[in-house]
Amino acid sequence: MKDADIPPMFYAGDDALYDFIKQNFKKPEVPELIGKVFVSFIVEIDGTLTDIYTTRDIGFGTGAEAERVMQLSPKWIPGRKEGKVVRVKYYLPIPISTN
């Protein structure tokens, strides 16, 4: 895995990524839960996501749900280093609000 000159990107951009998450994430039935879940994963050279895991969650199954949603993700545009496609570790914060 290498640092990328050009980081990986969700195929349709950040706004579309958060729309995808919003459409697929099943919020827990906990009133007034506010926070962020952080997931980590590898964006492979073919754009698939592997090694998806939660690095920080706010409980109530939010970490497992974030992992489930990221497993549904379409392929990403992989990162590049010196013009070559490379594997990149990516950290993603997912805001949660049940208000």
Side-chain angles (χ1 to χ4, degrees):
M1 216 167 358
K2 300 181 181 180
D3 292 331
D5 299 328
I6 301 171
M9 184 175 91
F10 189 70
Y11 78 98
D14 288 345
D15 289 342
L17 170 60
Y18 284 103
D19 286 344
F20 168 79
I21 292 169
K22 185 186 247 185
Q23 289 172 359
N24 290 284
F25 194 95
K26 294 176 183 146
K27 295 179 185 178
E29 294 185 22
V30 177
E32 299 183 27
L33 180 65
I34 298 172
K36 286 185 183 176
V37 174
F38 290 82
V39 291
S40 173
F41 48 87
I42 308 259
V43 180
E44 298 289 346
I45 60 173
D46 68 354
T48 58
L49 305 185
T50 61
D51 299 334
I52 300 167
Y53 66 94
T54 303
T55 60
R56 188 174 90 189
D57 74 27
I58 55 175
F60 306 101
T62 55
E65 180 62 7
E67 291 175 19
R68 183 192 72 80
V69 170
M70 294 316 298
Q71 289 170 352
L72 299 174
S73 175
K75 289 186 177 185
W76 285 42
I77 298 168
R80 291 187 167 275
K81 172 98 176 170
E82 297 173 0
K84 295 181 181 178
V85 176
V86 293
R87 298 174 75 219
V88 177
K89 189 166 197 165
Y90 196 92
Y91 296 93
L92 179 68
I94 300 174
I96 308 294
S97 175
T98 60
N99 288 345

